[in-house]
Amino acid sequence: MEFEKFSALLNSIEALSEEAVVGLGTFSDPLLNPDFDSYCKEVLKHEGLSLLLETDAVNLMEPCVLEKAKDLASFEDGKAVKRITWIVAVDAVSPGMYSLMHGLEKDDGAFAKVLNAVNVLGGLYKGRVFPQFTRMNANESELE
């Protein structure tokens, strides 16, 4: 969605409801958007809006992406952190199952990257980062 349309939509949401959660990443990874931080900050400029970020976080440790996540954590002198929630799709407790659950041919280190990302985000957004484990037949044995 173009930034101008997104901004107008936020104004409409705020006019409709004084408090709302704006979710980015339900069907795609918001970290892949080169303007990720601009969209997030636009949400946070509205006092009654909070931000829900859903990601697999594999790309979080890329220097430019990590810098944006750090910058977002310090937005509004760090006051906005309490209005940001991260959900990180993990869905496994082993590299092999992670690869299976995320459609990877082999473990290319993605599982380790995701675990590291959860730890890094947890340090930046204390109490606001939640690993997600969607229980399915394929990963049932690991998640029990």
Side-chain angles (χ1 to χ4, degrees):
M1 176 182 296
E2 293 175 8
F3 187 79
E4 292 75 24
K5 287 183 180 180
F6 182 75
S7 183
L9 181 60
L10 293 177
N11 290 330
S12 297
I13 292 170
E14 188 176 48
L16 181 64
S17 174
E18 291 178 11
E19 293 184 9
V21 177
V22 176
L24 301 180
T26 303
F27 297 111
S28 64
D29 192 333
L31 297 178
L32 297 176
N33 184 325
D35 298 320
F36 156 76
D37 53 335
S38 297
Y39 283 80
C40 293
K41 288 176 181 178
E42 189 65 20
V43 172
L44 297 171
K45 287 178 184 175
H46 300 265
E47 274 190 39
L49 302 183
S50 59
L51 186 60
L52 174 65
L53 298 167
E54 296 182 69
T55 179
D56 67 11
V58 170
N59 299 304
L60 182 76
M61 301 315 291
E62 297 294 324
C64 62
V65 178
L66 181 56
E67 206 50 48
K68 288 178 180 183
K70 287 179 180 178
D71 182 52
L72 185 60
S74 64
F75 187 64
E76 295 180 342
D77 295 325
K79 295 175 187 166
V81 168
K82 63 185 175 198
R83 294 191 294 132
I84 303 170
T85 302
W86 290 83
I87 297 176
V88 181
V90 179
D91 301 323
V93 295
S94 71
M97 183 59 71
Y98 182 86
S99 296
L100 176 70
M101 295 301 298
H102 291 270
L104 305 173
E105 289 185 30
K106 60 180 179 131
D107 176 36
D108 59 356
F111 183 66
K113 288 178 185 177
V114 169
L115 295 182
N116 189 32
V118 169
N119 287 329
V120 169
L121 286 172
L124 294 169
Y125 301 86
K126 295 190 185 330
R128 309 294 305 164
V129 179
F130 301 93
Q132 177 177 311
F133 298 86
T134 303
R135 196 170 175 173
M136 302 176 216
N137 288 337
N139 64 0
E140 178 80 20
S141 60
E142 279 203 2
L143 297 186
E144 270 190 356

